[in-house]
Structure formats: C-alpha cells, structure tokens
Amino acid sequence: MTVFLLDDHEIVRRGIRELLEGEEDIEVVGESGLAQEAARRIPAVRPDVAILDGRLPDGTGIDVCREIRSREPATKALILTSYDDDEAVIAAIMAGAAGYVLKQVRGSDLVDTVRRVAAGQSMLDPQVTAQVLERVRNGPAVDPRLAQLTAQEQRILGLIGQGMTNRQIAEEMFLAEKTVKNYVSALLAKLGLNSRTQAALFVAKHQSDT
C-alpha cells in the first residue's frame, strides 16, 4: 500500500517513514511539512492512506483531509496528533477522516492502524472516542442561534457538516457557487463562527436541530 506523510517536524516524518518502510507491504510515496503543499501533492500521487498532522503552520490536517476527501475519496485520511481535543475529533469525523490517533501510539500499533484504515476500517483512539461520546451525549440539545437562520441557510449548514465544498453544495442545491458562498458567509456571521471547521463542529453538536 502507498502512504503520504504530512507533519511539520522533519524528525517526526523521518521516524514514521523509517517505521513504515521497514514493512514489505508499505511504500511512502511523498511527504510534506505544510498543509497547502500537501493538499496539492496528495491528489497527484493518490496514496492509499494520508497520515496528517493535526496542527500545522499554515492550517490543519483536518482541513487537508476535507480537501483531499472531496477530490480523491479513495484516499483514506488518518489524523496523527499530540492533542486529545474532542472538538478536533468531531471535526475530523465530519471531514471524513478514517482515523484519529495520538502520537503517543506505539510504532507497531501505528503500522497496524495504517493497514486497517487502508482496508476500510475506522480507527479512533479509545481515549478520545470516550471524550467525544460524552461530549455529544451531554451537549446542549437546542441552540437559540439556529432560529436566526433561514431554511435555506440551515440546509446549507447541514451540507457543510457533511464535509461538502461550496461547489458540491451548489450542485446539490442547484445554485450558483457564488450564491452558496454568500449564504455561507451570512450563516457564519449569524452563528458567530469564523470558519467552515467551526460550522462542521456546530452541526455535530446540534444534529437534531439542523
């Protein structure tokens, strides 16, 4: 199987590369330390699995995951991070990540996780999974900000939560892409959010209301 590595620390990339290439059935076909560069290169090499660092100087692995999943859905994304942030886990799931693993993972377990993700399994670190389930169960059932949205804005918010790009939403709703962009800007302002990632998190916490 083929793997692409995204991590802003060269020593970490080198360690993961040596670990994976010690396996006869795994080949590392590319690596990067920047989110935007990885988003360009991953669709070109079309790896089976992309291992993505959670936080990068110019973005996040979750942003890269969302981008490559929309362009190359056959590529499985595995978020490898130092942060057991339950909101980030929810965002990763909404972006289409197949796994979310903490960097404290043992080398042999990481190799096993890569193989499982490549085979189509979903792999989430038990520690962060428990936090996410607790957060979802105990989260607020209703958010008054939703009442500010029009029916059209609520539908678009739901599609953002599914990880769709503006172009995909435009095709789904038979609207111009510019019109969708205007709707997105308006609903983000009404909800007091700054990004699509925050909107996806909002949807995850209030699915019954959107």
Side-chain angles (χ1 to χ4, degrees):
M1 74 189 72
T2 55
V3 176
F4 188 98
L5 304 177
L6 170 60
D7 196 291
D8 59 331
H9 293 98
E10 181 184 359
I11 191 68
V12 174
R13 296 199 308 271
R14 184 178 301 176
I16 297 175
R17 174 186 281 273
E18 291 179 356
L19 173 69
L20 296 178
E21 292 193 333
E23 304 294 319
E24 293 183 356
D25 60 331
I26 300 178
E27 177 187 4
V28 176
V29 294
E31 62 180 70
S32 176
L34 295 172
Q36 293 183 13
E37 180 185 44
R40 291 194 305 268
R41 293 182 57 194
I42 290 173
V45 296
R46 303 177 69 182
D48 296 310
V49 178
I51 299 178
L52 310 174
D53 190 8
R55 300 184 183 181
L56 298 146
D58 63 336
T60 71
I62 294 171
D63 293 332
V64 176
C65 172
R66 185 178 298 106
E67 175 70 17
I68 64 174
R69 289 291 296 165
S70 68
R71 298 171 60 185
E72 289 293 336
T75 294
K76 309 296 192 304
L78 174 63
I79 307 297
L80 182 64
T81 181
S82 302
Y83 306 96
D84 58 346
D85 183 341
D86 54 343
E87 291 193 355
V89 178
I90 295 173
I93 294 171
M94 299 304 295
Y100 189 104
V101 179
L102 299 181
K103 286 185 176 178
Q104 295 93 312
V105 65
R106 293 188 307 173
S108 58
D109 290 338
L110 178 59
V111 172
D112 181 62
T113 297
V114 170
R115 288 198 176 104
R116 289 175 178 270
V117 165
Q121 297 184 35
S122 178
M123 301 294 294
L124 292 173
D125 189 293
Q127 179 181 342
V128 291
T129 300
Q131 293 177 359
V132 170
L133 292 175
E134 184 69 16
R135 175 69 172 269
V136 172
R137 280 196 292 264
N138 296 330
V142 178
D143 191 305
R145 290 176 292 176
L146 283 169
Q148 304 176 52
L149 303 184
T150 65
Q152 193 85 313
E153 288 169 343
Q154 288 195 29
R155 184 179 176 195
I156 290 174
L157 177 63
L159 295 177
I160 291 174
Q162 295 177 31
M164 287 191 178
T165 64
N166 285 352
R167 178 175 297 179
Q168 291 171 327
I169 293 173
E171 293 174 352
E172 174 75 17
M173 299 184 65
F174 303 101
L175 296 172
E177 188 173 350
K178 184 176 180 180
T179 301
V180 172
K181 183 177 180 180
N182 291 337
Y183 272 121
V184 171
S185 297
L187 70 87
L188 289 177
K190 288 181 180 180
L191 296 175
L193 305 176
N194 298 317
S195 68
R196 297 175 71 90
T197 298
Q198 290 181 349
L201 285 170
F202 186 93
V203 175
K205 296 172 189 174
H206 309 281
Q207 285 183 357
S208 62
D209 302 302
T210 55

